Amino acid sequence: MFLILIKLAWRNILRNKRRTIIASIAISIGLAALIFGDAFMIGMMENLIKTATDSFIGDAQIHQQEFRDTREVSMTIQELDEVGANLAKEANVQYFTRRTFAPGMIASSANRSAINLVGVQPSTEKLLSQIDDAIIGGGFFEKANEHDIVIGSKLAEILEVALGDKVVVTVVQAKSGDYFEDWFRVSGIYYFADAAMNSGMAFVRLKKAQQMLAIGPNVHEIAIKFTSTEYGQDKQVPFWKTYSQHGNEALSWTEILPQLPKVFAMSEYSKYIMGIVLFGVVIFGIINTLFMSLYERMFEFGVLRAVGTRSFGMARIVLFEAGALAVVSILLGAILGFVLTTIFANIGIDYTGNEMMGVTVQEFIYPVLTIEQFTVYPLAVFIFTIVAGLYPAWHVAKMSPVDAMRRSF
Amino acid sequence: MEQTQKTDVIVTEGVTKVYDADGIPVNALNGVDLTIQSGEFTAIVGPSGSGKTTFLNIISGLDAPTEGKVLLSGKVLSEMGGNELSDFRRDNIGFIFQAYNLIPVLTVEENVEYIMLLAGVPKAERHDRVVAMLETVGLKDVEDRLPTQLSGGQQQRVAIARAMVSEPAIILADEPTANLDSKTGAALLDMMSQLNAETGMTFIFSTHDPMVMESARRLITLCDGQIDTDEMK
Ligand SMILES: Nc1ncnc2c1ncn2[C@@H]1O[C@H](COP(=O)(O)OP(=O)(O)O)[C@@H](O)[C@H]1O
Ligand SMILES: [Mg+2]
């Protein structure tokens, strides 16, 4: 019985090839769009996470509690030696680097600008952030000169300075509140698409910064890179508790950039809405296609009913036809989605320079193919198509054979 | 030939059918009382619109009478549920329609096989019965053809094969020769007559072709939804 139903369904959908092609193209475009949309979304998320974490933030950070709110220069990490020693022993920590932050003023002979003066350890900073990769002139603390300063290209433009030019940086010291001024020579210029980084920051050696701020060997931040990105997103691991002691707090990038995970959750949601709208359209297409095909074959249905097919059997014939249409469309859509996504996964999509959720896209977005796109979505399309077939099926099931056969003459 | 006791296969009592044609009631049948016995070869004749199709639809349970009662092999049709009625038709009635009897996307074998599939007959037996039945109706080696690859007469013979393959008690044919030329039509009727004699199945067919009427052994004339004449030959 099963076999004859499949034969009936298959041959009937091949009967009007043009109609079948139009219907299945509509469904398959829907599926392909869903696959591509999902792949793009994943690619974008990965891109944003990578940009956010790799460029400067890292997977996790340790500060003194409330430093992030107050940006108080005196609020340095507590028990720094112990924290540093422990981090060095952590199996999941790949790299970590120390930083100081202080609001300040940078001045050249031409201009002045408010900045955030960042003290860094060049050897580990290189491993953790991408400032060294973004250098477009000079280097990233390659020579052992304590008066070296690395600034963004936009800041260089504002200050009208070039490599080797002299600038003066003024900061406010911890505790005393005294102004402290020192001179630097521009030894490196980087370019970041992110405006805040490109024009609002200046990097000097950690030692120099500590001395200017009069904070001794203390720092404000330790940025950490884990061996796996997932580890940084897992709130269950003991890491967070261990390093949130002594008045410090250890935060994951998901907390440092809370808008990102929120946006991901939202994009997940918008994906469902897109899917539902898409399938709403598809469902009407299928119902329409099936009905057109049914009305042409009323007499046949009448004959099948007359010779003893039960009403459920009649419905089953229509549902098999919907299923056959779904299978054809799914194959077509999966191939289309795969090809489209693969092409863009190779060439990438240029969103660079656009700011999304506070993160400026630095690299091309590469859509990511997943197994779910070719299992869950096709299954959803199949179920949607069968659901769409229910109404025509019900219509045929309750139809009287006499009416069906008379209407055709 | 079987020597069975004659029984009443079809009994109608006061069957009336009123159609509603856009608000206007149409009396298609006006109190038809009729008894048909097993093994009969009966023609229902009458001009177009006299109620032949309506009558055949009602005695096969495809349509319900407005009033009156139909008994088929002793069972009251109106007392059967939907699936019961479907199964009853499948097992007890063979249908031959005027035209387009066959499902165009199914081969001749699949068309004839379909009812046996519904009844759950095993595969090997199905094939044997299809081949035997096609031979009975004078068609050989057409199992794998599609209906469109056959002539009108051949298609009607396949329809006879399908109607008879599950060995129902009754074969109902609504103007089976209407779409055939007179020679082919006559040949088809001869075949049905012969099959009736050989198998003892009850054949009831409608027609308005005088030549076809000749071969009937009982002739019932319908006029305006009533039995006009009823003669045995
Ligand atoms: N579904 C229907 N609605 C309204 N009138 C119908 C319907 N079916 C048949 N009739 C009418 O009933 C009468 C008998 O029709 P029918 O049984 O088809 O006659 P026949 O088969 O002898 O030509 C005709 O007048 C026809 O117009
Ligand atoms: Mg008629």
Side-chain angles (χ1 to χ4, degrees), chain A residues 63-80:
Chain A
H63 310 100
Q64 188 186 137
Q65 271 172 26
E66 279 156 51
F67 170 78
R68 290 197 323 133
D69 298 331
T70 62
R71 307 302 279 183
E72 199 72 58
V73 175
S74 59
M75 299 188 104
T76 53
I77 293 175
Q78 315 270 22
E79 309 294 341
L80 183 65

Side-chain angles (χ1 to χ4, degrees), chain A residues 1 3-4 7-8 11-12 15 299-314 316-317 400-402 405-406 409, chain B residues 19 54 57 62-63 82-83 86-87 89-90 93 95 97-107 110 113-115 117-118 146 162:
Chain A
M1 195 70 229
L3 195 66
I4 198 109
K7 280 183 195 163
L8 260 175
R11 293 179 199 163
N12 273 321
R15 208 149 144 190
F299 191 84
E300 275 172 62
F301 281 107
V303 170
L304 289 172
R305 189 87 174 95
V307 301
T309 312
R310 292 179 177 194
S311 56
F312 173 70
M314 300 299 293
R316 205 162 52 166
I317 291 170
S400 118
V402 175
M405 286 158 77
R406 182 178 301 106
F409 277 117
Chain B
Y19 285 116
T54 304
N57 286 342
L62 289 179
D63 209 352
N83 285 342
S86 292
D87 294 353
R89 279 203 301 269
R90 180 193 71 196
I93 307 170
F95 286 92
F97 302 103
Q98 184 175 325
Y100 311 113
N101 270 286
L102 308 175
I103 305 305
V105 295
L106 297 182
T107 63
E110 287 161 351
E113 200 183 17
Y114 182 78
I115 290 160
L117 277 163
L118 288 180
L146 288 172
R162 180 186 62 189

Side-chain angles (χ1 to χ4, degrees), chain A residues 406, chain B residues 19-21 26 28 47-54 175:
Chain A
R406 182 178 301 106
Chain B
Y19 285 116
D20 175 43
V26 177
S48 184
S50 57
K52 302 182 296 293
T53 299
T54 304
E175 307 209 28

Side-chain angles (χ1 to χ4, degrees), chain A residues 260-281:
Chain A
L260 266 190
K262 253 187 241 159
V263 165
F264 297 158
M266 225 169 68
S267 71
E268 197 63 7
Y269 187 68
S270 68
K271 202 167 70 190
Y272 288 126
I273 292 181
M274 186 178 93
I276 287 167
V277 169
L278 219 63
F279 283 121
V281 175

